Amino acid sequence: MLDITKEKLRKAYKISEKIIDLYEKALEDIRDQFKYYDEIREYNQIKVLDALQKERISEAHFTNSSGYGYGDIGRDSLDKVYADVFNSESGLVRPHFVNGTHALCCAIFGNLRPGDTMLSVCGTPYDTLHNLIGIGTNKKNMGSLVEYGINYEQVNLTEDNRIDFESIEKHLKKNDSIKLVHIQRSTGYGWRKSLLVSEIKNIIDFVKKIRPNVICFVDNCYGEFIDTLEPTDVGADLAAGSLIKNIGGGIAPTGGYIVGKEEYVTQASYRLTVPGIGGECGSTFGVMRLLYEGLFLAPHISIEAVKSAIFCARIMELAGFEVLPKYNDKRSDIIQAIKFNDKSKLINFCRAIQKGSPVDSFVKCEPWDMPGYSDQVIMAAGAFVQGSSIELSADAPIREPYIGYLQGGLTFDHAKVGILVALSNIL
Ligand SMILES: *Cc1c(COP(=O)(O)O)cnc(C)c1O
């Protein structure tokens, strides 16, 4: 670090000498991890470049469409580019998905019918899916799978957070109505490691051996480009995620995607719009260039975020906090969990991430009752795109043992500052 940088950190953010020492030690310790992820980034950059070239993307794809949006070549070609990147038959990439949950919802609802059962094999799914399934706080389960007569079963992780294959086998053999198996790659608000693509492959192989026709669906949120392979490379029939996380590259202003087997993606598109219309309508308001450019940048930006998480893991550990994953664990998403065991430390950590943000740095964030979540949630996100969590952000449900989740960082240099400020704020 340059002396003038240190001076600046000390003056602007009151970073102490002790924390600068921790910073230098942490950077030293994480060198090998950075090299490993640089190589993944390089491969994925070529993968995306290749897909764009194969589809012969040109300026014509960045134009606007209006009204019905028939024949929007930017939209239709981006579907194909995504399908290629994910090595799958079909893609559906739309600014019309209001968030990742919406894309997941279309994938799930589109492919299940009354009497069918969805089986989650990684324990309770991400919080915003609870009301979708009918296990949330929405008492009448309005609009949920359960209200439509679609059943839900769940296999919890074992005590040491492993996939419980024995129990999965029992469910699959006992219940013929299981039509879709839900696999969540990222941790969500849990204290477990993300599922590696190789582990997702093991689950899929296991499920398919017992019931070849079950749809293996992966919630791929936060996972894109952290490995050279994606779930659809290893047999997932369907996967979905958000464009304001990894794959939007920090550039996409909104949206979500679904990729997978053509039949299943079509069913999902009928849920998004109308049976028989699906992905063929939907004007794109001039955002297509941003979705393309975001995808192009995503391999790079996703690894900036991973580096930020690794740095956070190491420096927080050096400062005496328990973290998951550890700096030298293999990762499959961009999330870093830190256990605070203390409500005010957690809140102060999140507030400091806000303070170190490029946007809304002067805002003091507070826990609130967010739609879709059962506990109060605090969210620090001084982001250019509202709520974008590929940008440096920290959030947490306010419940014991007060675990905070840090993710994102469009540039590692910015994330470092945010994390140093956050650490200063709680030491
Ligand atoms: C972010 C996320 C979602 C979707 O959340 P949105 O805020 O609706 O985009 C779903 N599952 C997981 C695991 C996530 O991390």
Side-chain angles (χ1 to χ4, degrees):
M1 191 190 283
L2 295 176
D3 285 341
I4 48 170
T5 312
K6 277 187 200 170
E7 189 59 26
K8 193 108 192 136
L9 282 174
R10 231 181 264 126
K11 278 218 173 110
Y13 298 108
K14 305 194 171 55
I15 307 293
S16 67
E17 210 49 54
K18 183 182 165 222
I19 289 185
I20 302 233
D21 287 347
L22 287 181
Y23 160 96
E24 281 173 341
K25 169 91 171 71
L27 270 192
E28 194 64 36
D29 293 347
I30 58 185
R31 263 203 211 140
D32 289 350
Q33 275 65 43
F34 276 28
K35 183 166 174 291
Y36 173 81
Y37 287 104
D38 281 342
E39 287 174 357
I40 289 179
R41 179 188 63 198
E42 184 177 34
Y43 174 80
N44 283 325
Q45 186 68 73
I46 296 168
K47 176 160 58 168
V48 169
L49 180 64
D50 193 35
L52 291 166
Q53 291 180 353
K54 253 196 239 157
E55 197 51 37
R56 299 173 64 86
I57 299 308
S58 66
E59 203 179 342
H61 293 89
F62 306 150
T63 52
N64 207 348
S65 67
S66 61
Y68 294 121
Y70 286 124
D72 184 315
I73 60 164
R75 182 195 66 205
D76 294 346
S77 294
L78 189 60
D79 286 348
K80 291 183 192 147
V81 170
Y82 264 61
D84 191 37
V85 166
F86 282 91
N87 190 18
S88 57
E89 288 174 12
S90 197
L92 183 74
V93 189
R94 292 293 179 279
H96 312 101
F97 287 121
V98 300
N99 54 26
T101 306
H102 187 195
L104 296 164
C105 181
C106 291
I108 294 169
F109 259 103
N111 283 286
L112 293 175
R113 297 293 176 268
D116 288 344
T117 298
M118 160 177 168
L119 175 69
S120 166
V121 295
C122 316
T124 315
Y126 189 71
D127 296 49
T128 58
L129 299 197
H130 297 183
N131 286 326
L132 181 168
I133 294 166
I135 54 170
T137 49
N138 173 348
K139 286 283 182 290
K140 288 184 187 152
N141 291 320
M142 266 167 68
S144 67
L145 293 178
V146 168
E147 198 195 37
Y148 277 84
I150 298 163
N151 307 303
Y152 173 73
E153 290 181 5
Q154 176 177 312
V155 173
N156 289 328
L157 298 176
T158 61
E159 254 166 46
D160 54 348
N161 279 331
R162 291 182 191 285
I163 298 291
D164 188 345
F165 286 98
E166 217 171 285
S167 177
I168 295 173
E169 181 168 8
K170 274 191 201 138
H171 276 80
L172 288 173
K173 288 194 166 154
K174 198 176 71 195
N175 185 350
D176 277 348
S177 76
I178 293 171
K179 167 101 178 285
L180 181 143
V181 163
H182 180 85
I183 303 165
Q184 184 178 305
R185 178 173 179 176
S186 181
T187 50
Y189 290 138
W191 185 256
R192 68 158 170 96
K193 286 186 204 166
S194 48
L195 286 180
L196 301 175
V197 174
S198 57
E199 293 169 317
I200 292 174
K201 179 179 191 303
N202 290 341
I203 299 172
I204 295 170
D205 289 348
F206 187 81
V207 169
K208 293 279 181 187
K209 212 153 70 189
I210 302 167
R211 295 273 300 280
N213 295 326
V214 163
I215 300 170
C216 288
F217 171 60
V218 177
D219 174 349
N220 206 32
C221 283
Y222 287 132
E224 301 89 358
F225 300 132
I226 308 308
D227 197 327
T228 54
L229 295 173
E230 296 294 336
T232 39
D233 284 304
V234 297
D237 299 301
L238 197 60
S242 165
L243 300 193
I244 61 167
K245 294 180 179 173
N246 306 18
I247 201 160
I251 301 287
T254 189
Y257 75 91
I258 299 174
V259 288
K261 298 235 166 82
E262 190 174 355
E263 178 193 343
Y264 304 140
V265 174
T266 300
Q267 289 283 23
S269 77
Y270 287 176
R271 172 79 193 190
L272 172 65
T273 68
V274 177
I277 293 178
E280 289 180 67
C281 274
S283 54
T284 50
F285 322 112
V287 302
M288 293 316 295
R289 184 182 62 80
L290 299 177
L291 304 197
Y292 279 102
E293 193 173 348
L295 173 67
F296 178 68
L297 290 173
H300 181 89
I301 299 288
S302 302
I303 296 305
E304 290 292 289
V306 165
K307 287 180 174 177
S308 308
I310 294 170
F311 173 73
C312 178
R314 187 56 182 150
I315 198 166
M316 293 305 287
E317 194 179 25
L318 289 173
F321 292 91
E322 200 183 338
V323 296
L324 196 81
K326 290 195 191 306
Y327 76 98
N328 52 1
D329 284 332
K330 208 169 169 198
R331 288 167 191 259
S332 190
D333 69 6
I334 62 169
I335 310 292
Q336 183 59 50
I338 308 135
K339 202 181 269 180
F340 292 97
N341 291 315
D342 182 296
K343 185 172 165 185
S344 67
K345 275 194 179 141
L346 168 65
I347 292 175
N348 286 336
F349 182 88
C350 293
R351 282 188 177 149
I353 292 294
Q354 184 80 33
K355 194 168 132 193
S357 297
V359 180
D360 287 336
S361 61
F362 50 87
V363 168
K364 188 172 174 188
C365 48
E366 298 284 349
W368 65 299
D369 297 305
M370 264 186 83
Y373 295 84
S374 40
D375 293 290
Q376 279 207 322
V377 176
I378 186 165
M379 291 215 163
F384 292 96
V385 170
Q386 188 198 73
S388 166
S389 44
I390 186 63
E391 300 187 45
L392 185 68
S393 47
D395 45 58
I398 305 296
R399 63 185 176 221
E400 284 178 10
Y402 302 109
I403 297 168
Y405 300 85
L406 175 123
Q407 65 271 316
L410 294 180
T411 75
F412 176 48
D413 286 317
H414 164 240
K416 274 188 293 192
V417 173
I419 293 161
L420 293 178
V421 176
L423 185 54
S424 292
N425 221 33
I426 57 170
L427 279 192

